[in-house]
């Protein structure tokens, strides 16, 4: 079972470059989300989606775009990378948005912006 | 608004010691509560959960009880092992805010032989 797959695992960018972090899940989950993890700040929600064609902003959306054209895929785009976007990024999904449903996490992408 | 507060780390314990990691929450509605664990270099994985008051979640020797009166969900284990070394996150999911997850800042645990 693949679960939630994120690529790449590591990435180094220069300021101003753009890139896309890929996320795919094979569990037919309705809900998908992106978090960033920074020391001392826990996980902060960037964007989320409750189904194909539906996305919304989380707590820290600036500088990031998302789209959800299929149930399986939820890519995160950095439009013009900044050093403040150096972080570990996690994609997570759940079967539904019911309050008792757990999140399944990918293994993360470590991004450094120089 | 919603928030989760965890005890500050890092925590260092000897093998077979008793573990408590405190977690308190603020929620506008009636949340479900979760503990996630993150091993080095990996994503978070669910450790246990509880969905209503007085429920006890348990897994791998870890336990936590949903205490509505004290808005707490403390994680406990009677005898920790070296393999329990990880970062532990308390979280809530609450319907009044679109069922988004709110995570604490994480508590790092190191168990020494």
């Amino acid at each position: 079972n693949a679960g939630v797959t994120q690529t790449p695992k590591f990435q180094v960018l220069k300021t101003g470059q753009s890139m896309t972090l890929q996320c795919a899940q094979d569990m037919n989950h309705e809900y998908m989300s992106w978090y960033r993890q920074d020391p001392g700040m826990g996980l902060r929600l960037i964007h989320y989606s409750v189904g194909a064609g539906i996305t919304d902003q989380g707590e820290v959306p600036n500088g990031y775009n998302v789209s959800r054209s299929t149930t399986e895929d939820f890519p995160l785009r950095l439009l013009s990378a900044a050093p403040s976007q150096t972080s570990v990024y996690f994609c997570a999904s759940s079967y539904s948005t019911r309050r008792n449903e757990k999140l399944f996490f990918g293994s993360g992408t470590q991004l450094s912006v120089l | 608004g919603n928030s989760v507060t965890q005890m500050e780390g890092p925590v260092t314990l000897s093998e077979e010691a008793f573990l408590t990691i405190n977690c308190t929450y603020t929620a506008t509605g009636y949340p479900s509560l979760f503990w996630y664990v993150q091993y080095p270099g990996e994503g978070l994985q669910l450790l246990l959960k509880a969905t209503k008051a007085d429920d006890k979640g348990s897994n791998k020797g870890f336990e936590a009880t949903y205490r509505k009166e004290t808005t707490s969900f403390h994680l406990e284990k009677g005898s920790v092992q070296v393999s329990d070394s990880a970062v532990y996150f308390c979280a809530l999911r609450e319907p009044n805010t679109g069922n988004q997850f709110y995570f604490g800042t994480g508590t790092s645990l190191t168990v020494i032989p």
Side-chain angles (χ1 to χ4, degrees):
Chain A
N1 291 341
V4 179
T5 303
Q6 283 184 244
T7 56
K9 284 193 175 299
F10 302 94
Q11 184 70 49
V12 179
L13 292 177
K14 294 181 180 177
T15 297
Q17 287 185 314
S18 63
M19 79 158 296
T20 299
L21 306 185
Q22 301 291 345
C23 176
Q25 53 88 11
D26 62 357
M27 298 174 282
N28 200 31
H29 282 177
E30 176 181 284
Y31 176 89
M32 296 186 75
S33 56
W34 277 101
Y35 290 87
R36 59 178 289 173
Q37 182 180 27
D38 301 293
M41 304 193 72
L43 280 83
R44 293 182 292 170
L45 181 65
I46 304 171
H47 284 286
Y48 66 96
S49 168
V50 297
I54 306 169
T55 63
D56 208 344
Q57 297 180 350
E59 181 185 359
V60 288
N62 292 342
Y64 307 95
N65 272 359
V66 292
S67 60
R68 184 101 179 264
S69 56
T70 67
T71 300
E72 294 79 18
D73 300 301
F74 191 48
L76 178 72
R77 296 183 188 84
L78 280 69
L79 308 173
S80 177
S84 61
Q85 294 178 304
T86 294
S87 187
V88 180
Y89 291 84
F90 288 100
C91 180
S93 69
S94 68
Y95 181 69
S96 75
T97 56
R98 294 171 68 89
R99 71 173 185 89
N100 59 338
E101 291 283 350
K102 69 178 185 181
L103 278 178
F104 292 78
F105 282 83
S107 56
T109 297
Q110 189 166 324
L111 175 67
S112 295
V113 182
L114 306 177
Chain B
N2 296 338
S3 66
V4 176
T5 302
Q6 286 183 238
M7 64 183 284
E8 292 283 334
V11 174
T12 302
L13 294 174
S14 297
E15 207 165 21
E16 299 184 1
F18 184 85
L19 169 70
T20 300
I21 301 178
N22 290 338
C23 171
T24 57
Y25 68 89
T26 302
T28 56
Y30 196 178
S32 292
L33 302 174
F34 303 78
W35 276 101
Y36 278 84
V37 59
Q38 184 181 30
Y39 298 103
E42 298 183 10
L44 282 71
Q45 54 187 279
L46 181 70
L47 181 60
L48 53 85
K49 72 175 185 181
T51 58
K52 61 183 188 295
D54 300 325
D55 264 3
K56 179 185 285 187
S58 61
N59 186 25
K60 299 181 182 180
F62 290 89
E63 292 183 340
T65 301
Y66 190 142
R67 301 286 188 202
K68 195 167 189 289
E69 65 276 12
T70 54
T71 62
S72 64
F73 193 54
H74 304 322
L75 183 68
E76 296 181 336
K77 186 174 186 182
S79 176
V80 294
Q81 305 301 312
V82 172
S83 57
D84 294 326
S85 298
V87 181
Y88 293 82
F89 291 89
C90 186
L92 68 83
R93 192 172 201 182
E94 198 270 306
N96 285 4
T97 51
N99 280 317
Q100 297 308 322
F101 270 82
Y102 291 82
F103 287 88
T105 53
T107 302
S108 175
L109 170 67
T110 301
V111 180
I112 54 177

